[in-house]
Amino acid sequence: MTTTLHLIDYATLVDATDDESTRATVAAAFGPDGLGVLAVTGVPPELTEKRLKLLGLARKLGTLPGDELARFERPELYFCAGWSRGREKFRGKVDTAKGSWYANGLYDDAADGSADLKTRYPESTTEPLWPEPELLGGDLRDAFRGLSRDFYELSRHVLRHCDEIAKEAGGVSLSDVT
């Protein structure tokens, strides 16, 4: 079995300039013989700049002293919000080679004000304690949310094609269940 990484141009995907070709590429990437990955080429410079800004802030965060990083850990949420390092295992050993930042990329209030949802799903609905912008030389929350929202908007274009492919195959599409 040969697998291929399928590529699609950002403008073609977002501007819907060639839906038939785009649909074929998406189907190949996510179909039975696909890798489940679709690489987007020709990404606009402003998205690259946002990515680099976020990575720079992430590096500054990850190199803070341990006692400073501990302020951003949320053990009561099983480390599902905020900073986490050395809480996961890789090949049976505690993984300290990387740190992770967990937050909802789209919403300040993932529960949309619902006390019931916050009680039932605190790991998913609790906002992390974000580092002060002065600590990192920039606003991690703004950079994280800005790039997350851009990725979300881009993914909607891919998902539209996935939905159409599923519908054509006689399956259920997202528009049928939402």
Side-chain angles (χ1 to χ4, degrees):
M1 177 167 112
T2 304
T3 54
T4 303
L5 175 61
H6 293 277
L7 309 174
I8 191 156
D9 180 69
Y10 181 94
T12 301
L13 179 62
V14 172
D15 298 336
T17 55
D18 188 354
D19 271 354
E20 188 174 319
S21 174
T22 299
R23 190 171 299 116
T25 302
V26 170
F30 296 107
D33 296 323
L35 290 174
V37 176
L38 180 64
V40 179
T41 61
V43 175
E46 58 269 14
L47 286 181
T48 300
E49 290 167 16
K50 285 182 175 184
R51 178 181 157 271
L52 292 174
K53 180 179 180 179
L54 180 58
L55 288 174
L57 293 171
R59 183 184 183 292
K60 289 177 183 177
L61 176 71
T63 57
L64 290 173
D67 59 332
E68 188 74 27
L69 286 167
R71 290 191 314 124
F72 308 111
E73 291 183 335
R74 299 297 300 267
E76 74 279 11
L77 299 172
Y78 306 100
F79 301 94
C80 291
W83 175 254
S84 174
R85 180 187 294 155
R87 308 298 178 182
E88 301 164 341
K89 289 187 176 182
F90 180 69
R91 295 186 178 166
K93 295 182 180 180
V94 174
D95 183 7
T96 57
K98 61 141 183 82
S100 300
W101 183 264
Y102 297 102
N104 186 300
L106 301 178
Y107 306 107
D108 291 331
D109 181 5
D112 198 25
S114 168
D116 179 53
L117 286 177
K118 287 182 180 187
T119 300
R120 288 173 39 208
Y121 308 107
E123 298 88 355
S124 307
T125 58
T126 303
E127 185 76 351
L129 173 63
W130 293 91
E132 303 81 11
E134 309 81 52
L135 185 64
L136 304 179
D139 194 326
L140 180 64
R141 177 185 6 220
D142 285 353
F144 184 88
R145 290 250 165 80
L147 191 59
S148 294
R149 288 177 178 139
D150 288 338
F151 284 160
Y152 172 76
E153 289 303 319
L154 181 62
S155 73
R156 292 178 59 167
H157 295 284
V158 175
L159 292 173
R160 177 175 60 87
H161 290 286
C162 290
D163 198 43
E164 291 168 2
I165 292 164
K167 206 170 208 172
E168 287 171 7
V172 176
S173 71
L174 288 176
S175 59
D176 293 335
V177 295
T178 55

